[in-house]
Amino acid sequence: MATGTTREARAHARSQEGRRAEAMPVVPATDWPDPPREAGRLVWAETVDGGSYTHQVLARGTELRLTDVGGEACGHLLLYAAGRPWERLNAADTVKVQWNAYLAEGRLLLSDQGRVLASVVADTSGRHDALCGTSTLRRNTERYGDGSPHSATPAGRELLTLAGLKNGLSPRDLPPSVSFFQGARVADDGAVEFTGSAGPGASVTLRAEQDVIVLLANVPHPCDPRPRYTCGPLQVLAWHARPTQQGDVLWDATPEARRAFLNTTAFLAAGGLA
């Protein structure tokens, strides 16, 4: 179709209505063809291609499921308290406070203020990383020849920067991220070992324990030894649910978890947010 005039360009643009690519948001999310059986009303449904990013603001209590469709995804995640982005995911505290370096079901994603931003309520992958962060422009340029955001081999930090800018965040607001579906473990000698994927269809479900800004980049893990830029589609689904309540198993799983939840609910109650 010709686009040489304004009328032709308008006609061409309108002809695209209703067309869908394999990797794109579904709007409204309730049109997603195969929602999880346990899901409430879907509020976010999207497939993020390898080398791409996405972002969203989720209400407290929303559950977010990430699925590694083909076994090659690696979702690098940042979280911020919505409206208070100075409170953000702190990967170091997430590891240190819980006395555990590895993300799994029952772990909490903590802010630097000792509060819970999200909890891991289900996990069928077990291949995650809270130690290495995401890839950088310099690293990807050295490995693949380019790491800029619009190249064929974009770096995770560059994509998270774009996602952050769309939420009023600058590059200086980006802390180290955590990643899902491509694992890394620390060997006895202190070296980081890449453990790769659990395979196609693995998923992890997070529950927002505050209103949060979610930034996601789907790019290869920085320790992935494969010479080619390898990253497959990441499925993102979110639905209305309830935040963790006192008396839930997750709340009382450890003394550290209990304190983090108490810190969170006390803060939200004082501000009329819960």
Side-chain angles (χ1 to χ4, degrees):
M1 182 180 290
T3 58
T5 69
T6 302
R7 290 180 182 275
E8 290 170 339
R10 181 181 64 185
H12 177 265
R14 288 179 174 177
S15 73
Q16 308 307 306
E17 184 178 14
R19 295 188 180 185
R20 289 182 176 173
E22 185 174 337
M24 65 179 295
V26 172
V27 181
T30 49
D31 284 352
W32 184 262
D34 186 26
R37 283 182 297 176
E38 73 275 25
R41 179 176 176 273
L42 289 178
V43 295
W44 187 13
E46 182 171 357
T47 300
V48 183
D49 216 351
S52 297
Y53 71 96
T54 188
H55 58 96
Q56 188 61 271
V57 178
L58 297 179
R60 179 174 180 246
T62 302
E63 292 189 355
L64 169 65
R65 175 167 297 170
L66 308 176
T67 301
D68 182 359
V69 178
E72 299 289 3
C74 189
H76 300 258
L77 175 76
L78 285 175
L79 297 172
Y80 301 79
R84 300 177 289 104
W86 52 87
E87 183 174 1
R88 59 197 61 169
L89 176 67
N90 189 302
D93 283 358
T94 292
V95 167
K96 178 179 64 177
V97 170
Q98 298 178 95
W99 306 96
N100 197 307
Y102 304 110
L103 299 172
E105 184 175 332
R107 299 282 179 259
L108 310 177
L109 301 181
L110 301 176
S111 76
D112 57 352
Q113 300 191 38
R115 297 191 280 259
V116 190
L117 291 170
S119 52
V120 182
V121 297
D123 178 24
T124 67
S125 170
R127 302 293 181 90
H128 312 307
D129 175 37
L131 303 173
C132 298
T134 192
S135 53
T136 62
L137 175 62
R138 179 175 178 178
R139 172 86 170 176
N140 275 31
T141 300
E142 291 173 351
R143 290 193 67 184
Y144 309 115
D146 198 352
S148 58
H150 300 296
S151 70
T153 54
R157 184 169 174 83
E158 300 304 298
L159 296 181
L160 289 171
T161 296
L162 293 181
L165 289 170
K166 293 179 179 180
N167 289 274
L169 304 169
S170 71
R172 65 180 293 179
D173 293 316
L174 302 184
S177 57
V178 298
S179 59
F180 296 97
F181 304 120
Q182 299 292 333
R185 299 189 72 84
V186 179
D188 291 342
D189 62 0
V192 175
E193 297 179 341
F194 179 70
T195 59
S197 167
S203 67
V204 60
T205 303
L206 311 177
R207 180 185 296 144
E209 306 293 357
Q210 303 187 45
D211 295 348
V212 292
I213 301 169
V214 179
L215 309 185
L216 266 171
N218 184 25
V219 300
H221 190 281
C223 294
D224 191 331
R226 292 174 289 187
R228 295 185 61 187
Y229 188 95
T230 304
C231 190
L234 176 69
Q235 184 188 98
V236 180
L237 297 176
W239 57 86
H240 289 310
R242 295 175 59 221
T244 302
Q245 304 291 317
Q246 192 165 6
D248 287 356
V249 172
L250 194 63
W251 182 294
D252 293 314
T254 66
E256 295 78 21
R258 186 161 50 249
R259 180 64 187 206
F261 277 117
L262 287 171
N263 289 345
T264 306
T265 55
F267 173 81
L268 295 175
L273 303 173

